[in-house]
């Protein structure tokens, strides 16, 4: 897997940096006070896929289908473990996704079809199955500097917010992490010992065995949460 995301023509990889925060009755007011603008409100369903023995997620690879569109989140080779910000490479190119999945599952990556059809056929042939399916209602705010702030509420009753920045080169990560922390302080989002991500809570409720395996494999940590 490539060491760093790139913005060259024909690729579809970016490095996504996310910091979660707890939503309360003052969250939207604070966002408006610092000049954030509400971009949109939407609802969507996510389905996450893995093998029966969880080969993908135990390697920290997260294959997601959202409203018919496939995406793979994978760990960067140079992740800053001391950061409270989740760091993942996002890939949407069908051919690249199949190549990465094939390497983990040790299968033949050659399958007919293009785009989503290529991934769907690969998923069917390798027997990948959805292990998490849930719907999210999201309100998205944007701010100067490329920030996106999402306020999410799931159909299993969990609410969480995320500050997000996208970078295209590894050398930009440190500065982006600092910007996220600065904005979090401005918004008075204090550093938590742990903010659970949607996947944490979903698996704790619906598949605690899978959740415990991720803890044992150090994919999930006591002081970090899954931002997928």
């Amino acid at each position: 897997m490539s060491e760093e995301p790139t913005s060259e023509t024909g690729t579809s990889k970016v490095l996504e940096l996310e910091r979660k925060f707890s939503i309360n009755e003052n969250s939207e007011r604070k966002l408006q006070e610092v000049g954030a603008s509400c971009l949109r409100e939407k609802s969507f369903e996510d389905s996450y896929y893995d093998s029966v023995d969880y080969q993908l997620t135990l390697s920290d690879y997260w294959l997601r289908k959202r409203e018919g569109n496939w995406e793979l989140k994978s760990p960067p080779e140079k992740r800053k473990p001391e950061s409270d910000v989740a760091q993942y490479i996002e890939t949407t190119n069908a051919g690249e996704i199949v190549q990465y999945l094939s390497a983990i599952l040790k299968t033949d990556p050659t399958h007919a079809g293009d785009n989503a059809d290529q991934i769907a056929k690969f998923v069917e042939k390798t027997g990948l199955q959805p292990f998490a399916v849930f719907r999210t209602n999201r309100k998205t705010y944007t701010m100067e500097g490329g920030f996106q702030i999402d306020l999410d509420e799931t159909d299993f009753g969990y609410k969480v917010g995320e500050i997000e920045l996208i970078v295209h080169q590894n050398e930009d990560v440190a500065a982006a992490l600092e910007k996220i922390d600065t904005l979090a302080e401005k918004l008075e989002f204090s550093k938590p010992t742990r903010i659970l991500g949607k996947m944490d809570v979903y698996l704790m409720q619906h598949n605690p065995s899978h959740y415990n395996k991720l803890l044992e494999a150090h994919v999930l940590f006591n002081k970090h949460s899954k931002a997928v």
Side-chain angles (χ1 to χ4, degrees):
M1 183 173 183
S2 174
E3 178 177 315
E4 62 183 28
T6 175
S7 57
E8 293 177 1
T9 302
T11 67
S12 54
K13 293 184 291 182
V14 295
L15 183 54
E16 177 190 69
L17 309 177
E18 291 181 350
R19 176 171 166 181
K20 284 172 289 302
F21 60 90
S22 297
I23 294 177
N24 58 45
E25 64 276 8
N26 296 319
S27 297
E28 291 194 66
R29 177 182 59 79
K30 289 180 180 178
L31 286 168
Q32 294 165 1
E33 286 177 352
V34 299
S37 300
C38 186
L39 178 64
R40 60 179 173 267
E41 294 185 50
K42 65 179 180 179
S43 177
F44 52 85
E45 182 178 89
D46 288 329
S47 299
Y48 288 85
Y49 287 75
D50 205 345
S51 60
V52 294
D53 54 354
Y54 307 128
Q55 291 183 63
L56 297 182
T57 54
L58 288 177
S59 298
D60 208 7
Y61 283 73
W62 301 83
L63 178 64
R64 180 177 71 196
K65 187 178 184 182
R66 174 175 292 176
E67 301 296 315
N69 299 310
W70 293 92
E71 179 181 84
L72 180 67
K73 289 194 173 187
S74 56
E77 291 187 9
K78 294 181 179 180
R79 176 185 276 164
K80 295 184 179 295
E82 72 279 6
S83 174
D84 291 319
V85 180
Q87 304 162 46
Y88 280 92
I89 294 175
E90 289 189 339
T91 308
T92 56
N93 179 274
E96 292 175 357
I97 289 176
V98 169
Q99 289 289 334
Y100 296 157
L101 297 180
S102 298
I104 299 171
L105 300 173
K106 297 180 172 57
T107 59
D108 180 6
T110 305
H111 296 277
D114 297 315
N115 301 323
D117 181 60
Q118 182 181 6
I119 301 175
K121 288 185 176 181
F122 180 85
V123 166
E124 181 179 5
K125 182 171 182 177
T126 54
L128 298 180
Q129 296 292 328
F131 66 87
V133 180
F134 55 85
R135 179 162 288 276
T136 299
N137 294 320
R138 169 172 292 177
K139 182 175 288 188
T140 297
Y141 283 80
T142 58
M143 281 188 64
E144 184 178 354
F147 289 104
Q148 177 171 304
I149 302 97
D150 294 325
L151 307 179
D152 288 350
E153 181 174 2
T154 68
D155 61 0
F156 53 91
Y158 187 58
K159 296 180 181 181
V160 67
E162 294 177 347
I163 301 173
E164 177 184 306
L165 270 180
I166 299 295
V167 300
H168 295 276
Q169 303 295 336
N170 277 335
E171 54 265 30
D172 298 330
V173 170
L177 293 177
E178 185 174 345
K179 289 178 181 178
I180 290 176
D181 284 341
T182 299
L183 176 59
E185 292 177 6
K186 191 175 183 180
L187 291 168
E188 300 177 3
F189 298 153
S190 60
K191 283 193 174 184
T193 55
R194 179 168 169 78
I195 293 291
L196 295 174
K198 291 177 292 190
M199 185 58 71
D200 295 75
V201 176
Y202 182 91
L203 290 178
M204 290 170 69
Q205 292 182 2
H206 296 85
N207 194 339
S209 175
H210 187 183
Y211 182 74
N212 288 331
K213 289 180 184 295
L214 292 168
L215 286 176
E216 292 168 2
H218 302 292
V219 174
L220 299 180
F221 300 91
N222 287 334
K223 67 176 182 177
H224 297 294
S225 55
K226 186 55 52 188
V228 295

